[in-house]
Amino acid sequence: MESQTSQPSPASPSPHTFQVDLRGLVDLLSHHLYSSPKVYLRELLQNAVDAITARRAEEPDAPATVRLYAEGGTLRVEDSGVGLTESDVHSLLATIGRSSKRNDGLESARSDFLGQFGIGLLACFVVAERIRVVSRSARTPDAEPVEWTAADDGSYTVRTLPREARPEPGTTVHLVARAGAGEWLGPERVRSLARDFGALLPYDVRVGDEAVADLPAPWDRPYPSPSARRSALARHCRDLFGFTPLDAIDLNVPLAGIRGVAYVLPTAVSPAQRASHRVHLKGMLLTERAEQLLPDWAFFVRCVLDTDSLRPTASRESLYEDETLAAVREALGERVRSWLTGLAAGDPERLAAFLSVHHLGVKSLARHDPQMLRTMLPWLPFETTDGRLSLEEFAQRHPVVHFTRTVEEYRQVAPIASAQGVGVVNGGYTYDSELVEALPSVRPGTAVSELDADTVTAHLDTVDPGEELALSGFLAAARARLDPLHCDVVLRAFHPLSVPALHLDDRAARHEQARAEAEEGADDLWAGILGSLRGTAPRARLVLNHLNPLIRRIGSLGDPDLIGTATESLYGQALLMAQRPLRPADSALLNRAFIGLLEWATHTDPGTDGRR
C-alpha cells in the first residue's frame, strides 16, 4: 500500500475591516435614506433627549434641559444628559452603526430611547462640513471633558480639555454649515424645525429663550366645556393641517401607549388618495406622512398622535410594518367605528352632516362590517327611483328591492320603472350594489333582486294582439333595420307617454354583442373561436311605446325605407336618453338617420309649389 503524504493546510485568511468613504455615505443618507436635510435637527434633538433619559435612569432628579443657539451659519446644541468619556467617544461617535443604546446593559431599556440605529451625528454632515462635540460624563464625575472634532472627509480628532471647558455633565454639539447649506442653520429655520419636531417632547427644550414644547398636548389639556375643547382642537387642526374639521375623534389606546386625535375632513376625498398622518414617537415627530396607520376605509380623517410602542424604520421617517402596527391600526379603526356608532345613536344631525360629505368611506366600512351596516341603514344615502333615500326607507316602501349594477342600466330603466311603480336602486356607484345585496343579512325578510331587461319588459303592458298584428309590417321593417346592430324591436304600452322608445339590455346582452362584433371583424381562425363562444343570452331590445303619438304616426307609414330611418332615429335617441356611450356603429347610425330624415323632409314632388 502506498503511503499518503499529508498536504499542508491553507493558511487562515487574515481579517480585514470595512473601509468607509464618509463622503459617499453622507451622499447616500442625504439622497436616499432621508427625505430632507431637515432631519439633522431631529437627530440632534434625539441624541440630547436620549442622553437626558439615560442620565435620569440613574439620577431621577438630574436636570433635563436642551438649548439651541443658531447664529452666523453655526449651531450650538447643549444638553444636560449623561455625557461621554474619552473611551465612549472613540467607541460611539467614531464607529458608524454603533448605538449607545446597545451598551451598558441598556438593551432591555431601549423602549425609553428614540434612536436605535447608531447613525446619530452622521446625519448632521448633510448640512455641516464640521462637527465638534464637547462632553463630560455624569457616570464618571472625575473624568475630564473630552472634545471630538470631525470633518466630512472622514477624519476626526479627540482630545481632553480643562474642567472649566465643561463644568457640568452633559454635551455640547457645534455645527459649521457646509457651502450652500447655511439656511438650514439659520435662526428662523432652526426655531421652526425645533417647534415642529419637538412640540411634544417631555423635557425643557428651548431655542434661545423660546420654549419649543407645547405641553400638555391639545387633546390632553383640561377645558371648561366640551364646546371649548372642540374649538381648541379645531384651531389645532387648522394650524397643523390647514383645514377646519367637521369633528375630532379621540384616539386613546393605553395598551399601545397611544394618545392623539383624528380630525374629520370637511370635504370629500377619493378613496384611492393615501392619507398622511403625523406620528410622534415618545414626543419626537417621527413623520408627517404615515400612510399605513389607519384602515384603508378611514380615508376621511387625518391623525396626529404620540406613541411609545411603534417601531420606526432606519430613517425614522416612517413606521415599520409589523404585528404591533397591525394591532394599532385595528384599534384606531375601532375608535373611528365607535365614533360613528355614537353619532348614529345620539347626534343624528352631525351624522347627517358627516354622511353628506363622506358617505363613501362609511359604505366602504359597512360592506365588510355587518354591525356597521345595520347601524347605518337609516342614514346611508342611495340614489333610487323614489329620490335619495336610505336603504331602510326604500325597503319599507317596496316589497322587492330591485337594483342595477351600473349607472347606465339605471338610467335606462329609472323613468319607466318609476312610472310603473317598480322601485329601483342605482347600484352603479362604488360599493352600492354590494351593500344592497348584503341587505337581507342585516334586515331579515327583505327581498333583493337585480333588475334586468326581462323584468322591466314584464312590467310593461302588452298591446292588444289585433293592433299588434295590424302593425306587423311596420315591426318587420323596424326589426330588419336594427338586426345588424344585434337589437330586437318589441311593442309595449307604458307611461310616461312622452317617452317614445326605451333601449334595454343587460351585461350578458352587451357581452354577446361585443363578441358578435369581434367575430365579424376577425380572420377565419379567430372568428371560429369566437363563434364557438356564442351565447344564448337575449339580445338588446328597443321597446316602442304604443301610447306615444309619434310611434303611432310612424307605425302608419307605408314606406319601409322611411320606417327604417325613423327606427334608427328612435334607437339613437333612446341611447342618448340612457346616456350610454356610443360605439362607432351607433354614431354612424345617428348620422345616417339624421341625414335621411333631412332628405325626406326637404324632398318635393313634381307639380307642387315646392311643399310636400
Side-chain angles (χ1 to χ4, degrees), residues 14 48 71 73 175 288 312 315 327 393 407 411 424 427 532 541 548 560 571 590 593 595:
S14 57
E71 183 179 4
L175 301 186
E288 301 170 278
S315 67
E393 291 176 283
V407 174
R411 288 169 178 166
V424 184
S532 68
R541 64 195 69 174
N548 181 266
Y571 174 84
L590 279 173
I595 297 299

Side-chain angles (χ1 to χ4, degrees), residues 168-249:
E168 299 295 329
T171 300
T172 301
V173 179
H174 302 260
L175 301 186
V176 178
R178 63 168 56 248
E183 63 166 314
W184 291 103
L185 273 61
E188 288 303 318
R189 179 60 67 91
V190 169
R191 185 176 295 108
S192 174
L193 292 178
R195 281 199 299 259
D196 204 29
F197 285 119
L200 300 183
L201 288 176
Y203 301 137
D204 181 12
V205 182
R206 295 176 182 267
V207 178
D209 296 327
E210 182 179 333
V212 167
D214 186 20
L215 296 175
W219 51 84
D220 284 331
R221 296 173 190 168
Y223 296 97
S225 66
S227 61
R229 186 175 191 272
R230 282 196 297 270
S231 298
L233 290 178
R235 287 194 300 273
H236 178 247
C237 180
R238 284 195 299 272
D239 294 341
L240 210 58
F241 294 113
F243 65 84
T244 300
L246 286 178
D247 207 349
I249 307 169

Side-chain angles (χ1 to χ4, degrees), residues 249-255 258 262 294 297 328-341:
I249 307 169
D250 284 319
L251 303 178
N252 183 13
V253 187
L255 292 179
I258 285 178
L294 287 177
W297 56 261
V328 166
R329 184 185 301 121
E330 179 62 29
L332 296 182
E334 182 58 37
R335 295 296 183 274
V336 179
R337 185 184 289 108
S338 297
W339 170 78
L340 285 170
T341 303

Side-chain angles (χ1 to χ4, degrees), residues 514-534:
R515 185 211 59 76
E517 291 174 354
E519 181 180 357
E520 289 177 0
D523 57 32
D524 292 341
L525 175 61
W526 188 236
I529 296 174
L530 290 172
S532 68
L533 300 176
R534 182 179 294 112

Side-chain angles (χ1 to χ4, degrees), residues 476-494:
R479 287 165 182 158
R481 185 58 65 94
L482 294 188
D483 186 67
L485 297 173
H486 308 284
C487 180
D488 291 330
V489 177
V490 296
L491 188 66
R492 291 289 187 274
F494 56 87

Side-chain angles (χ1 to χ4, degrees), residues 462-473 475 479 490-492:
T462 58
V463 178
D464 179 84
E467 293 187 38
E468 187 167 2
L469 181 61
L471 295 171
S472 59
L475 293 175
R479 287 165 182 158
V490 296
L491 188 66
R492 291 289 187 274

Side-chain angles (χ1 to χ4, degrees), residues 245-515:
L246 286 178
D247 207 349
I249 307 169
D250 284 319
L251 303 178
N252 183 13
V253 187
L255 292 179
I258 285 178
R259 293 282 299 169
V261 63
Y263 293 116
V264 181
L265 290 165
T267 55
V269 294
S270 167
Q273 179 179 331
R274 300 296 296 177
S276 295
H277 310 290
R278 290 175 65 95
V279 178
H280 294 255
L281 179 62
K282 305 177 186 69
M284 182 75 74
L285 178 65
L286 179 70
T287 178
E288 301 170 278
R289 299 184 300 276
E291 295 183 347
Q292 66 273 49
L293 190 63
L294 287 177
D296 290 340
W297 56 261
F299 54 82
F300 50 83
V301 298
R302 297 292 179 268
C303 298
V304 54
L305 54 83
D306 188 26
T307 176
D308 59 17
S309 63
L310 298 178
R311 291 174 56 195
T313 58
S315 67
R316 288 187 289 279
E317 293 186 283
S318 59
L319 298 171
Y320 186 81
E321 185 69 48
D322 58 9
E323 293 181 358
T324 301
L325 179 57
V328 166
R329 184 185 301 121
E330 179 62 29
L332 296 182
E334 182 58 37
R335 295 296 183 274
V336 179
R337 185 184 289 108
S338 297
W339 170 78
L340 285 170
T341 303
L343 287 186
D347 201 337
E349 290 185 4
R350 285 171 67 198
L351 178 63
F354 166 77
L355 289 177
S356 67
V357 179
H358 296 300
H359 58 274
L360 202 58
V362 180
K363 287 180 177 180
S364 175
L365 169 61
R367 68 192 178 119
H368 296 302
D369 188 332
Q371 181 58 44
M372 182 54 60
L373 177 58
R374 188 178 294 107
T375 302
M376 290 292 119
L377 267 181
W379 310 103
L380 286 175
F382 289 77
E383 182 180 359
T384 78
T385 49
D386 291 355
R388 199 160 181 81
L389 298 175
S390 71
L391 286 182
E392 177 66 29
E393 291 176 283
F394 190 82
Q396 290 174 357
R397 298 184 183 186
H398 298 278
V400 178
V401 178
H402 292 287
F403 72 98
T404 63
R405 291 192 182 275
T406 68
V407 174
E408 289 78 10
E409 290 174 355
Y410 178 80
R411 288 169 178 166
Q412 289 180 64
V413 303
I416 309 304
S418 178
Q420 307 305 314
V422 179
V424 184
V425 178
N426 184 355
Y429 296 114
T430 307
Y431 310 131
D432 283 8
S433 61
E434 297 173 72
L435 293 176
V436 175
E437 289 181 297
L439 189 57
S441 66
V442 297
R443 196 178 188 274
T446 303
V448 171
S449 175
E450 181 176 355
L451 191 68
D452 56 21
D454 288 335
T455 304
V456 176
T457 305
H459 280 82
L460 304 180
D461 294 334
T462 58
V463 178
D464 179 84
E467 293 187 38
E468 187 167 2
L469 181 61
L471 295 171
S472 59
F474 158 69
L475 293 175
R479 287 165 182 158
R481 185 58 65 94
L482 294 188
D483 186 67
L485 297 173
H486 308 284
C487 180
D488 291 330
V489 177
V490 296
L491 188 66
R492 291 289 187 274
F494 56 87
H495 293 273
L497 291 104
S498 59
V499 177
L502 177 66
H503 182 271
L504 294 177
D505 65 0
D506 51 29
R507 286 177 300 165
R510 288 194 294 273
H511 175 76
E512 174 61 19
Q513 186 178 57
R515 185 211 59 76

